[in-house]
Amino acid sequence: MEPGKGGPAGNPGKPEAGKRDPPHGVLAQLEALEARDRRAAVEQEEREQQEERAALLESRARELRLRRDELREKLERLEKGGLGKAGMPSDPAHPDPRAVLEWRIRSLKALLQVFHLTGISGKLSKRGLCLTLSTSYEGSHLDSFHLELLLRPEVRIQRHSIPAFIPLEQLSRRFLATDLRRFLALLSQHLEGYSGRRFQADQLQERFSDWIQGAPQRNSLCNLLKFSYSPSRNSRTFPLRARLLYRDPLRSLPTEVTVSCSPDAPAALAATASEHSELFRRVALHRAFQTFAGTHGNP
């Protein structure tokens, strides 16, 4: 037999014994073990982070509870000190009138600071508190109303310039003696709502008189407004009739709006009435007419 032919040397393509590829199942098991280890490491890290956050939150909660207790004790000491003499608490059934008055004055000063940016200002007088409640609409100052409160022997209204249709007496009975902050907040909202409604009616009459027939009908509270108008400027006819009802006295937008026309009016006019009814619900009255004016030319 010639060298290089036949025998083991003549079959170089066959693998040598003991050098087979690893089975696929072993590789899969190794990859699964590695993935499990990675998941375990990630979960462990997340648990440690959660435990650390929980510890921080618990520490912060303890600090807040301690701070709350300190403030509560301080407030109790201040209240007791305001009702007693020489820092000693007095009989709650017979508080010192002067101490009670001083405590009320301090409370009112703090209250005025809270209300300063809401249009309510005031100053202390010898007899009580003089307040000014200012109203505005769209950044324009509208009205100022005055209210004078007596502080002793109990808080009560001495004099005021609040309109008669504002439920001042009802608000006073409910909140003046027990919750002055709420009393002033609600009174201010009533005045803001009224001033805003009146401002819109005035703007309609002053700026868009050539769109409406005569003067709008309104009551003193301006929570009911009626007028006939034309969908275009300088018209000799006023085919649309509007009725705006403001059931919420704290708001300046109507809660119910009806815009109607005659039954035999063209379909286009009926559609316009429906569109205007929806617009008057969402937009201030004079702003709505500005929209009409923009469509037909400036008034």
Side-chain angles (χ1 to χ4, degrees):
M1 182 179 296
E2 297 180 4
K5 294 182 179 180
N11 299 294
K14 293 183 179 181
E16 296 181 5
K19 293 185 179 182
R20 296 178 181 177
D21 292 331
H24 179 71
V26 174
L27 291 176
Q29 290 179 5
L30 291 174
E31 292 176 354
L33 290 173
E34 291 177 356
R36 186 186 65 183
D37 292 340
R38 285 195 298 270
R39 286 196 302 270
V42 171
E43 292 174 356
Q44 177 66 24
E45 184 177 359
E46 290 178 351
R47 283 195 299 270
E48 292 176 354
Q49 292 177 354
Q50 290 176 356
E51 292 174 356
E52 183 178 357
R53 285 195 296 268
L56 291 174
L57 290 174
E58 178 62 25
S59 176
R60 180 58 177 164
R62 284 196 300 268
E63 292 177 2
L64 291 175
R65 284 194 294 268
L66 289 173
R67 180 60 177 163
R68 178 201 62 189
D69 295 340
E70 291 174 358
L71 291 174
R72 183 179 295 170
E73 292 176 0
K74 183 177 180 180
L75 179 60
E76 291 176 354
R77 287 196 302 269
L78 288 174
E79 290 178 347
K80 291 178 180 179
L83 296 177
K85 296 181 179 180
M88 297 298 293
S90 61
D91 184 1
H94 301 87
D96 178 44
R98 181 167 181 171
V100 172
L101 179 60
E102 292 176 353
W103 177 79
R104 284 178 178 172
I105 291 174
R106 290 196 301 269
S107 300
L108 288 173
K109 287 181 178 180
L111 189 62
L112 289 176
Q113 292 179 351
V114 172
F115 276 111
H116 178 68
L117 298 178
T118 65
I120 300 177
S121 59
K123 61 179 181 179
L124 291 169
S125 65
K126 293 182 179 179
R127 303 186 63 186
L129 180 66
C130 298
L131 294 166
T132 299
L133 295 90
S134 301
T135 61
S136 62
Y137 193 83
E138 296 179 338
S140 299
H141 176 266
L142 298 181
D143 301 292
S144 292
F145 303 94
H146 304 285
L147 180 67
E148 183 176 337
L149 301 178
L150 296 181
L151 302 181
R152 53 184 177 181
E154 60 183 11
V155 181
R156 67 184 188 277
I157 297 174
Q158 172 70 6
R159 59 176 60 91
H160 66 85
S161 63
I162 308 298
F165 43 78
I166 299 295
L168 177 63
E169 184 178 351
Q170 178 184 354
L171 294 173
S172 175
R173 286 198 306 266
R174 293 186 60 187
F175 304 113
L176 182 59
T178 58
D179 194 343
L180 183 58
R181 177 179 298 188
R182 189 173 183 186
F183 167 77
L184 291 176
L186 288 173
L187 179 58
S188 177
Q189 290 173 20
H190 275 276
L191 294 172
E192 286 282 354
Y194 157 68
S195 295
R197 296 189 299 270
R198 191 193 65 186
F199 175 78
Q200 295 177 57
D202 290 343
Q203 290 289 299
L204 175 64
Q205 185 171 352
E206 294 171 5
R207 298 174 55 187
F208 302 97
S209 58
D210 49 355
W211 294 70
I212 61 178
Q213 184 179 23
Q217 301 177 32
R218 52 177 166 172
N219 57 1
S220 57
L221 188 54
C222 291
N223 62 352
L224 178 61
L225 186 65
K226 298 179 182 179
F227 57 92
S228 296
Y229 70 102
S230 172
S232 60
R233 184 187 177 193
N234 292 325
S235 175
R236 295 186 176 182
T237 60
F238 304 92
L240 297 177
R241 297 180 298 276
R243 180 180 185 272
L244 284 67
L245 180 63
Y246 304 77
R247 291 190 181 276
D248 186 349
L250 308 184
R251 294 185 57 194
S252 58
L253 289 178
T255 54
E256 297 179 18
V257 177
T258 302
V259 178
S260 60
C261 55
S262 60
D264 57 347
L269 186 61
T272 298
S274 178
E275 293 174 359
H276 288 190
S277 178
E278 180 61 27
L279 185 63
F280 290 157
R281 287 189 181 92
R282 297 182 291 103
V283 181
L285 191 57
H286 60 291
R287 296 301 183 194
F289 272 84
Q290 281 182 340
T291 301
F292 307 155
T295 303
H296 300 280
N298 293 329

